[in-house]
Amino acid sequence: MHEAFLINGLAGEKKLEGEIKINGAKNAVLQAFAFSLLFKDEVSLSNVPKIEDTDRMSELLAGLSATVEQTGETSFVVRTKETLNTEFPYEISRRLRASIVLTGPMLAREGEVRFPHPGGCVIGNRPIDVFLESFTAMGATITEDGKYYVITAPIGKNEARKLRGTTLFLRVPSVTATQTLMMAGVLAEGTTVIKNSALEPETVDLANFLNTCGARIEGAGTTTITVHGGELLSGNGKVFQTPPDRIEAGSFAILGALSARDLHIKNCAPEQMDALLYALRGAGVPLEIGPDSLRIHGNSKPNSAFTAFDIKTKEYPGFPTDLQAPAVVFLTQASGESLVFETIFEGRLNYTEGLVRMGAEIKTWDTHRATIKGPTPLRGRHLEGPDIRAGLAYIIASIVAQGESTVHNAYYVDRGYEAIENRLQSIGVDISRISA
Ligand code: EPZ
């Protein structure tokens, strides 16, 4: 028995209205839970979204014998003991890609780590060669025992196992590899330089906070990050404020453009959303951009009045791959033919078959490229969301469609979006959670 969302669509009408508050970013808070291993005492996190992945990361940390205490509606404290259990709980870490981020701080702190190849969504084979190659360059040795990777740091000064700072070049500007190696450098001996690092704003927030606790990280948000190694950090009462989730905000902006009369998206960071907002404005969406909010109003024209645009997903600040699926739903309703080129993952166009079954006109040329011809009316269907973001795209498509849809695999959506049905009901969506 699993859960699903039952949705009655608006058949292209724009009836939604009201406010949606954006929660803390999943792809910042998971990394913040991981950086807690760099602290000798405790670290506090606030604005933590209540999503499945946060629960899994808390369980993972408990398996490493850190203690995670929820101290408020959206605030947590993570306490680490003298020495931690260095073997990752198999099932959780296999299912959660973000578990890989724990390897950096764990290896740097304890000198060893045992972990399974991390799982995650079905959006691609998600290799970890950049992590393994970089740890090796920092002096670690890596063996595999079939189930686990076993990584040990070299013997450093005073006989302790410590990673050695060095200059690293990332074969691809991997987001979590950048963040993992930045954290590893905090406790490594000497200086670690990470070249071709990813530019995500979440990495800047993580680095800025760690620097207030005694780390010495320079260049976060640029293509070269320099980390001067030192001792365990001290949280001493400081609180990491999880930044707003720009992917959640972008997803709701797309929903608003397609189905809202007047939607106010609050507590977001529009300055981190240029690629999407530029595309939506260019398509003709009446979008008002404030310092920490977005508003779609006066949205009375039919979706066919919107002009289609091409998408090429790129590393930040390019068009986010996590918004590709929701944006393709928009393109099925706008007028014109558009090309979607998914450059980051090789499995992130699989969901388009569900949209085609709803009535969309999408031709997939290979695992990276598809063309969409709009506008096409969509009809309600049974849909199996293959990953977090495609699951939300199916919810958006179901709201636009005529008739009833069932979006299965609610767990996937719950991994990245807190209480999604309640928040959508509050702006007028006819959605309910069912056991299917
Ligand atoms: C992060 O994943 C995000 N996850 C993803 O969000 C996001 O889609 C992705 O960055 C890209 O923006 C978290 O932050 C927890 P990558 P990550 O390493 O770091 C290849 C969501 O829905 N690669 O930047 O795993 C990889 O295969 C999730 O919230 C290697 O080849 O992505 C991909 O093609 C999905 N070897 C490319 O790099 C490696 O060792 C970029 O992946 C690592 C990555």
Side-chain angles (χ1 to χ4, degrees):
M1 191 67 85
H2 72 273
E3 292 188 320
F5 296 108
L6 187 64
I7 295 162
N8 268 311
L10 298 172
E13 289 190 63
K14 304 195 179 187
K15 290 184 169 173
L16 307 184
E17 63 179 331
E19 288 184 0
I20 278 200
K21 188 184 80 60
I22 299 304
N23 292 324
K26 168 178 89 76
N27 294 346
V29 78
L30 297 180
Q31 288 85 335
F33 272 107
F35 74 31
S36 59
L37 300 186
L38 296 173
F39 289 76
K40 62 177 173 241
D41 42 20
E42 63 182 43
V43 65
S44 299
L45 311 178
S46 68
N47 195 31
V48 175
K50 290 191 278 297
I51 53 176
E52 289 293 343
D53 278 9
T54 307
D55 296 343
R56 296 301 81 72
M57 187 56 99
S58 301
E59 290 158 15
L60 220 174
L61 281 171
L64 301 175
S65 69
T67 55
V68 180
E69 183 193 350
Q70 181 159 2
T71 50
E73 182 66 17
T74 62
S75 45
F76 288 73
V77 172
V78 186
R79 295 184 183 84
T80 50
K81 289 182 186 155
E82 277 302 301
T83 53
L84 296 166
N85 166 19
T86 58
E87 180 168 311
F88 285 20
Y90 186 79
E91 273 317 313
I92 299 179
S93 29
R94 229 170 51 73
R95 280 204 328 259
L96 184 65
R97 170 77 187 184
S99 62
I100 188 90
V101 180
L102 284 158
T103 58
M106 178 63 88
L107 194 51
R109 178 195 176 110
E110 299 296 334
E112 65 171 24
V113 64
R114 292 168 60 89
F115 67 100
H117 195 293
C121 300
V122 291
I123 57 180
N125 65 12
R126 312 298 291 275
I128 59 168
D129 58 301
V130 171
F131 297 81
L132 302 178
E133 187 182 314
S134 300
F135 288 142
T136 305
M138 295 177 84
T141 52
I142 300 172
T143 57
E144 280 189 69
D145 69 2
K147 223 176 142 190
Y148 283 96
Y149 289 100
V150 183
I151 309 184
T152 46
I155 301 287
K157 296 185 196 110
N158 58 47
E159 296 307 300
R161 287 193 175 283
K162 295 287 273 183
L163 288 174
R164 291 193 203 114
T166 186
T167 295
L168 304 168
F169 176 80
L170 307 188
R171 178 176 64 79
V172 287
S174 158
V175 175
T176 47
T178 298
Q179 295 159 346
T180 303
L181 296 164
M182 180 176 81
M183 293 183 211
V186 169
L187 299 180
E189 270 172 1
T191 298
T192 304
V193 178
I194 306 165
K195 303 178 90 169
N196 196 27
S197 45
L199 309 180
E200 268 63 16
E202 293 81 17
T203 304
V204 179
D205 292 319
L206 296 167
N208 288 345
F209 177 77
L210 291 175
N211 283 341
T212 64
C213 302
R216 288 183 295 146
I217 302 169
E218 297 150 7
T222 76
T223 56
T224 301
I225 297 177
T226 301
V227 190
H228 303 283
E231 299 309 313
L232 283 170
L233 305 178
S234 174
N236 55 31
K238 291 194 178 59
V239 181
F240 176 74
Q241 168 80 13
T242 308
D245 194 319
R246 57 192 167 88
I247 303 303
E248 180 176 271
S251 310
F252 291 135
I254 291 167
L255 172 65
L258 289 171
S259 302
R261 228 196 322 267
D262 185 350
L263 181 64
H264 201 169
I265 299 166
K266 307 184 80 169
N267 290 33
C268 63
E271 76 280 0
Q272 297 175 355
M273 303 170 63
D274 289 340
L276 174 75
L277 301 183
Y278 179 89
L280 291 181
R281 271 200 158 154
V285 175
L287 192 59
E288 204 176 286
I289 301 175
D292 61 356
S293 68
L294 295 168
R295 191 167 172 205
I296 288 126
H297 67 123
N299 192 21
S300 52
K301 288 184 189 163
N303 289 328
S304 55
F306 294 146
T307 314
F309 51 84
D310 291 342
I311 295 175
K312 181 177 183 181
T313 62
K314 288 292 287 166
E315 294 83 8
Y316 190 88
F319 197 98
T321 174
D322 293 345
L323 285 175
Q324 179 253 107
V328 164
V329 177
F330 178 92
L331 294 173
T332 68
Q333 301 307 300
S335 289
E337 179 170 292
S338 44
L339 169 71
V340 174
F341 185 4
E342 169 54 61
T343 71
I344 307 287
F345 291 109
E346 67 279 11
R348 215 166 197 179
L349 288 172
N350 302 337
Y351 70 93
T352 52
E353 63 78 27
L355 299 183
V356 170
R357 278 192 296 113
M358 296 178 86
E361 198 174 324
I362 302 175
K363 172 98 180 77
T364 305
W365 300 100
D366 57 33
T367 56
H368 289 279
R369 267 175 290 255
T371 43
I372 297 110
K373 268 197 194 130
T376 52
L378 300 179
R379 290 176 304 284
R381 286 286 183 272
H382 276 265
L383 299 157
E384 294 270 341
D387 69 72
I388 301 173
R389 310 303 174 181
L392 193 93
Y394 282 170
I395 288 177
I396 295 173
S398 302
I399 292 168
V400 172
Q402 161 127 33
E404 186 179 273
S405 294
T406 305
V407 179
H408 295 272
N409 293 345
Y411 178 80
Y412 276 125
V413 178
D414 294 337
R415 283 189 53 198
Y417 300 89
E418 177 182 329
I420 190 69
E421 73 272 31
N422 306 334
R423 299 160 81 193
L424 293 179
Q425 285 161 2
S426 74
I427 59 170
V429 177
D430 180 352
I431 179 173
S432 53
R433 184 184 290 260
I434 59 170
S435 295

